[in-house]
Amino acid sequence: MRAAVFASGSGSNMQALVDRQGAGTGYRIELLVTDRRCTAEARADAHRIARQRVPFNRGSGPAGDRILELLNERRIDAVLLAGFLRLVPSSVCRAFRNRILNIHPALLPSFGGRGMHGRNVHEAVLRAGAVLSGPTIHFVNERYDEGRILAQWPVPVRSGDSPADLAARVLRVEHVLFPAAAGALARALTRGWPERGRGPSFLWPEGGDASGGKLERTIGEAFGK
Ligand code: GRF
C-alpha cells in the first residue's frame, strides 16, 4: 500500500509508521503533506520521503485540488493523518473514502471534535476525571473525529498525572497501534476491499498481558496478523 502521511507537528507518529514500513506491514510511506512548517518535514527529509507543503489560506477547495494532484502523481492508495490539524478537504474525503485513517489521542467519541487536539485533549480528559484514556484510530469523513472507529487501546490515567504525563503514556501506545492499523488497512486493500473482501478488522484480544514488550505482539494479534 502506497501511503501518504499528512502532519502539522512533531511527526513522531510518522516516524513510527516509517520505522515499521515494509514487507512485514505491507505499506510504505511515499509522501508527506504538511500545511505549515513543522518538524515532521525534517523527519521526511532524513528518510528521503517526498514532501509538499500545501497552503490552506486560499480555502480548502484549492487545497483539496492540490492535494488530489499530489496523491495522484504519487499513485497513493491510502492516507494516514498523523497530527494533521486541518479538516481534510471534502474532495479528498470523497476520492479516498475508506482509505483515510486518523489517530486521535483519546477514546472517541468522547474528547473529540473541533479544537480537540494536542494538550487540549489530555486536559479535558483529566478535567472530566476519566480513569481511562488511550488512542483511537478511525476512518476520516468530512467532520472532525467522526468516522467509523477501527481500533482503540486503553491507557490508564494515574493520580497526579499532568497533561504532559498522560500525553506521553498515550503516545507510546499510538506508536504501536497506528502501524498495526495501517498494516490491517493494507491487507484489506490487497483483498480488494472496499469493493470486495472484508474491511480491516480489530478484535480485542482475549486475556493476555497487554503491557510492556508484549504490547506490539498483542496489538498485532488483535488485528488478526
Ligand atoms: C498525536 O497525539 C496524535 O494522536 C494527534 O496528534 C498528535 C501528533 O503527534 N492526532 P506527533 O506529531 O505524531 O508526534
Side-chain angles (χ1 to χ4, degrees):
M1 178 175 86
R2 296 171 63 83
V5 168
F6 290 8
S8 308
S10 93
S12 73
N13 274 289
M14 182 190 82
Q15 185 69 57
L17 286 162
V18 169
D19 290 346
R20 289 176 173 77
Q21 70 183 2
T25 43
Y27 69 83
R28 180 163 287 278
I29 309 302
E30 303 285 354
L31 174 68
L32 170 68
V33 171
T34 60
D35 64 314
R36 66 196 70 192
R37 182 191 299 272
C38 61
T39 312
E41 294 176 336
R43 294 186 195 262
D45 292 347
H47 292 274
R48 299 174 185 276
I49 294 168
R51 68 171 168 89
Q52 285 290 331
R53 199 180 297 161
V54 174
F56 273 69
N57 47 15
R58 284 181 298 118
S60 73
D65 292 346
R66 178 71 185 121
I67 289 172
L68 282 177
E69 204 173 87
L70 292 166
L71 298 179
N72 291 333
E73 265 171 21
R74 298 253 160 207
R75 293 179 289 111
I76 296 299
D77 302 306
V79 174
L80 307 169
L81 306 186
F84 188 60
L85 294 177
R86 303 276 181 175
L87 204 54
V88 176
S90 53
S91 56
V92 180
C93 289
R94 274 197 305 277
F96 282 77
R97 192 71 70 200
N98 292 321
R99 287 163 184 261
I100 311 177
L101 295 178
N102 178 47
I103 185 154
H104 184 76
L107 297 174
L108 293 174
S110 296
F111 310 113
R114 181 180 287 278
M116 285 300 253
H117 52 78
R119 193 185 165 91
N120 296 349
V121 177
H122 304 292
E123 275 174 359
V125 170
L126 293 173
R127 212 179 309 121
V131 297
L132 208 56
S133 191
T136 299
I137 312 269
H138 65 94
F139 288 95
V140 168
N141 63 20
E142 287 80 352
R143 290 175 301 279
Y144 281 113
D145 301 326
E146 280 192 21
R148 182 167 74 76
I149 290 171
L150 171 56
Q152 297 184 305
W153 199 268
V155 171
V157 178
R158 304 226 187 270
S159 71
D161 263 355
S162 67
D165 295 332
L166 181 57
R169 197 175 305 123
V170 173
L171 195 62
R172 209 185 123 252
V173 179
E174 290 184 39
H175 293 164
V176 184
L177 194 64
F178 208 2
L185 179 60
R187 289 194 295 280
L189 294 182
T190 306
R191 293 192 300 262
W193 186 78
E195 292 77 19
R196 299 186 307 278
R198 275 189 304 111
S201 60
F202 181 85
L203 255 194
W204 192 259
E206 288 190 22
D209 173 8
S211 64
K214 289 190 187 159
L215 186 63
E216 184 158 6
R217 203 182 67 218
T218 313
I219 288 177
E221 281 167 3
F223 273 107
K225 208 180 163 198

